[in-house]
Short mmCIF file of all heavy atoms in Angstrom, two decimals:
data_model
loop_
_atom_site.label_atom_id
_atom_site.label_comp_id
_atom_site.label_asym_id
_atom_site.label_seq_id
_atom_site.Cartn_x
_atom_site.Cartn_y
_atom_site.Cartn_z
N ASP P 81 126.18 82.31 114.64
CA ASP P 81 126.26 81.21 115.59
C ASP P 81 126.30 79.87 114.85
O ASP P 81 125.35 79.50 114.15
CB ASP P 81 125.05 81.26 116.54
CG ASP P 81 125.22 80.35 117.73
OD1 ASP P 81 125.93 79.34 117.61
OD2 ASP P 81 124.63 80.66 118.77
N ALA P 82 127.37 79.13 114.99
CA ALA P 82 127.54 77.85 114.30
C ALA P 82 126.49 76.82 114.73
O ALA P 82 126.16 75.91 113.97
CB ALA P 82 128.94 77.30 114.54
N ARG P 83 125.93 76.98 115.94
CA ARG P 83 124.91 76.02 116.41
C ARG P 83 123.64 76.09 115.57
O ARG P 83 122.83 75.19 115.60
CB ARG P 83 124.55 76.31 117.87
CG ARG P 83 125.70 76.16 118.84
CD ARG P 83 125.33 76.67 120.20
NE ARG P 83 124.88 78.05 120.12
CZ ARG P 83 124.13 78.65 121.02
NH1 ARG P 83 123.72 78.02 122.08
NH2 ARG P 83 123.78 79.91 120.88
N LEU P 84 123.46 77.15 114.81
CA LEU P 84 122.25 77.34 114.03
C LEU P 84 122.31 76.68 112.66
O LEU P 84 121.36 76.72 111.90
CB LEU P 84 121.96 78.83 113.86
CG LEU P 84 121.77 79.61 115.15
CD1 LEU P 84 121.61 81.08 114.86
CD2 LEU P 84 120.60 79.08 115.94
N LYS P 85 123.41 76.03 112.35
CA LYS P 85 123.58 75.48 111.00
C LYS P 85 122.55 74.42 110.67
O LYS P 85 122.23 74.20 109.50
CB LYS P 85 124.99 74.93 110.82
CG LYS P 85 125.30 73.72 111.69
CD LYS P 85 126.72 73.24 111.49
CE LYS P 85 126.96 72.06 112.42
NZ LYS P 85 128.32 71.64 112.45
N ASN P 86 121.96 73.76 111.67
CA ASN P 86 120.96 72.73 111.40
C ASN P 86 119.53 73.28 111.33
O ASN P 86 118.61 72.54 111.07
CB ASN P 86 121.03 71.63 112.47
CG ASN P 86 122.33 70.87 112.39
OD1 ASN P 86 122.89 70.71 111.30
ND2 ASN P 86 122.84 70.44 113.52
N LEU P 87 119.38 74.55 111.60
CA LEU P 87 118.06 75.16 111.50
C LEU P 87 117.88 75.74 110.11
O LEU P 87 118.82 76.19 109.48
CB LEU P 87 117.90 76.29 112.52
CG LEU P 87 117.85 75.87 113.98
CD1 LEU P 87 117.78 77.10 114.86
CD2 LEU P 87 116.67 74.96 114.25
N LYS P 88 116.64 75.74 109.67
CA LYS P 88 116.36 76.32 108.37
C LYS P 88 116.12 77.81 108.55
O LYS P 88 115.15 78.23 109.15
CB LYS P 88 115.11 75.68 107.75
CG LYS P 88 114.74 76.24 106.41
CD LYS P 88 113.51 75.56 105.87
CE LYS P 88 113.12 76.18 104.53
NZ LYS P 88 111.85 75.66 104.07
N LEU P 89 117.05 78.60 108.08
CA LEU P 89 116.89 80.04 108.09
C LEU P 89 116.43 80.45 106.70
O LEU P 89 117.05 80.09 105.71
CB LEU P 89 118.19 80.74 108.46
CG LEU P 89 118.68 80.50 109.89
CD1 LEU P 89 120.03 81.14 110.08
CD2 LEU P 89 117.69 81.03 110.89
N SER P 90 115.36 81.16 106.65
CA SER P 90 114.77 81.52 105.37
C SER P 90 115.68 82.48 104.61
O SER P 90 116.17 83.46 105.15
CB SER P 90 113.41 82.17 105.61
OG SER P 90 112.87 82.59 104.39
N ASN P 91 115.89 82.17 103.34
CA ASN P 91 116.63 83.07 102.46
C ASN P 91 115.68 84.08 101.84
O ASN P 91 116.09 85.07 101.27
CB ASN P 91 117.33 82.29 101.35
CG ASN P 91 118.43 81.42 101.90
OD1 ASN P 91 119.06 81.77 102.88
ND2 ASN P 91 118.64 80.28 101.28
N THR P 92 114.39 83.78 101.90
CA THR P 92 113.37 84.62 101.29
C THR P 92 112.53 85.26 102.37
O THR P 92 112.24 84.62 103.37
CB THR P 92 112.44 83.76 100.42
OG1 THR P 92 113.15 82.70 99.83
CG2 THR P 92 111.78 84.58 99.35
N GLN P 93 112.13 86.46 102.14
CA GLN P 93 111.23 87.11 103.06
C GLN P 93 109.81 86.69 102.71
O GLN P 93 109.33 86.96 101.62
CB GLN P 93 111.37 88.63 102.96
CG GLN P 93 112.71 89.15 103.39
CD GLN P 93 112.95 89.01 104.88
OE1 GLN P 93 112.06 89.22 105.67
NE2 GLN P 93 114.14 88.63 105.25
N TYR P 94 109.14 85.99 103.61
CA TYR P 94 107.75 85.60 103.39
C TYR P 94 106.83 86.79 103.59
O TYR P 94 105.73 86.84 103.09
CB TYR P 94 107.32 84.49 104.35
CG TYR P 94 108.04 83.19 104.11
CD1 TYR P 94 108.77 82.59 105.13
CD2 TYR P 94 108.00 82.56 102.88
CE1 TYR P 94 109.43 81.40 104.91
CE2 TYR P 94 108.67 81.38 102.66
CZ TYR P 94 109.37 80.79 103.68
OH TYR P 94 110.03 79.62 103.47
N LEU P 95 107.29 87.74 104.35
CA LEU P 95 106.51 88.92 104.67
C LEU P 95 107.04 90.08 103.82
O LEU P 95 108.14 90.02 103.31
CB LEU P 95 106.70 89.27 106.15
CG LEU P 95 106.29 88.18 107.13
CD1 LEU P 95 106.78 88.51 108.52
CD2 LEU P 95 104.79 88.01 107.13
N PRO P 96 106.25 91.14 103.71
CA PRO P 96 106.78 92.31 103.01
C PRO P 96 108.11 92.72 103.65
O PRO P 96 108.29 92.60 104.85
CB PRO P 96 105.71 93.38 103.26
CG PRO P 96 104.45 92.60 103.52
CD PRO P 96 104.89 91.33 104.19
N THR P 97 109.02 93.20 102.82
CA THR P 97 110.37 93.48 103.30
C THR P 97 110.47 94.70 104.19
O THR P 97 111.48 94.90 104.84
CB THR P 97 111.34 93.63 102.13
OG1 THR P 97 110.84 94.67 101.28
CG2 THR P 97 111.49 92.34 101.36
N LYS P 98 109.45 95.54 104.19
CA LYS P 98 109.53 96.68 105.08
C LYS P 98 108.13 97.16 105.44
O LYS P 98 107.18 96.93 104.72
CB LYS P 98 110.34 97.82 104.48
CG LYS P 98 109.77 98.39 103.18
CD LYS P 98 110.69 99.45 102.66
CE LYS P 98 110.29 99.85 101.24
NZ LYS P 98 111.14 100.85 100.68
N THR P 99 108.08 97.80 106.55
CA THR P 99 106.88 98.49 106.99
C THR P 99 107.21 99.96 107.01
O THR P 99 108.26 100.35 107.50
CB THR P 99 106.47 98.01 108.40
OG1 THR P 99 106.24 96.61 108.36
CG2 THR P 99 105.23 98.73 108.89
N ILE P 100 106.34 100.76 106.45
CA ILE P 100 106.60 102.18 106.39
C ILE P 100 105.90 102.86 107.55
O ILE P 100 104.69 102.73 107.71
CB ILE P 100 106.11 102.77 105.06
CG1 ILE P 100 106.83 102.09 103.89
CG2 ILE P 100 106.31 104.28 105.03
CD1 ILE P 100 106.27 102.44 102.53
N CYS P 101 106.67 103.53 108.38
CA CYS P 101 106.12 104.31 109.49
C CYS P 101 106.35 105.77 109.17
O CYS P 101 107.47 106.19 108.89
CB CYS P 101 106.81 103.94 110.80
SG CYS P 101 106.52 102.24 111.29
N ILE P 102 105.27 106.53 109.22
CA ILE P 102 105.35 107.95 108.88
C ILE P 102 104.86 108.76 110.06
O ILE P 102 103.78 108.48 110.61
CB ILE P 102 104.48 108.26 107.64
CG1 ILE P 102 104.94 107.45 106.43
CG2 ILE P 102 104.50 109.75 107.32
CD1 ILE P 102 104.02 107.54 105.24
N ASP P 103 105.62 109.76 110.45
CA ASP P 103 105.21 110.67 111.51
C ASP P 103 104.21 111.66 110.93
O ASP P 103 104.57 112.57 110.18
CB ASP P 103 106.42 111.41 112.07
CG ASP P 103 106.05 112.43 113.14
OD1 ASP P 103 104.86 112.46 113.57
OD2 ASP P 103 106.93 113.19 113.55
N LEU P 104 102.93 111.48 111.25
CA LEU P 104 101.88 112.31 110.69
C LEU P 104 101.73 113.64 111.42
O LEU P 104 100.90 114.46 111.05
CB LEU P 104 100.55 111.55 110.70
CG LEU P 104 100.53 110.29 109.83
CD1 LEU P 104 99.20 109.58 109.97
CD2 LEU P 104 100.82 110.62 108.38
N LYS P 105 102.55 113.86 112.44
CA LYS P 105 102.49 115.12 113.19
C LYS P 105 103.33 116.22 112.54
O LYS P 105 103.21 117.38 112.90
CB LYS P 105 102.94 114.89 114.63
CG LYS P 105 101.97 114.01 115.39
CD LYS P 105 102.49 113.71 116.79
CE LYS P 105 101.54 112.74 117.47
NZ LYS P 105 102.11 112.19 118.68
N GLN P 106 104.17 115.85 111.58
CA GLN P 106 105.01 116.86 110.93
C GLN P 106 104.15 117.72 109.98
O GLN P 106 103.06 117.31 109.58
CB GLN P 106 106.17 116.20 110.20
CG GLN P 106 105.77 115.22 109.09
CD GLN P 106 106.97 114.51 108.50
OE1 GLN P 106 108.01 115.10 108.31
NE2 GLN P 106 106.80 113.24 108.20
#
């Protein structure tokens, strides 16, 4: 969306890049 060009979109992940979800019922 070109309207977003004035917003600061983070290039860096401030949070961990992933959350691991494991099905413990297997």
Side-chain angles (χ1 to χ4, degrees):
D81 193 332
R83 298 171 304 159
L84 301 175
K85 65 182 179 188
N86 294 328
L87 292 176
K88 179 180 178 187
L89 294 175
S90 177
N91 293 327
T92 326
Q93 295 291 320
Y94 293 123
L95 302 168
T97 57
K98 61 183 169 180
T99 300
I100 300 171
C101 296
I102 300 172
D103 177 8
L104 297 177
K105 293 176 185 167
Q106 60 185 321

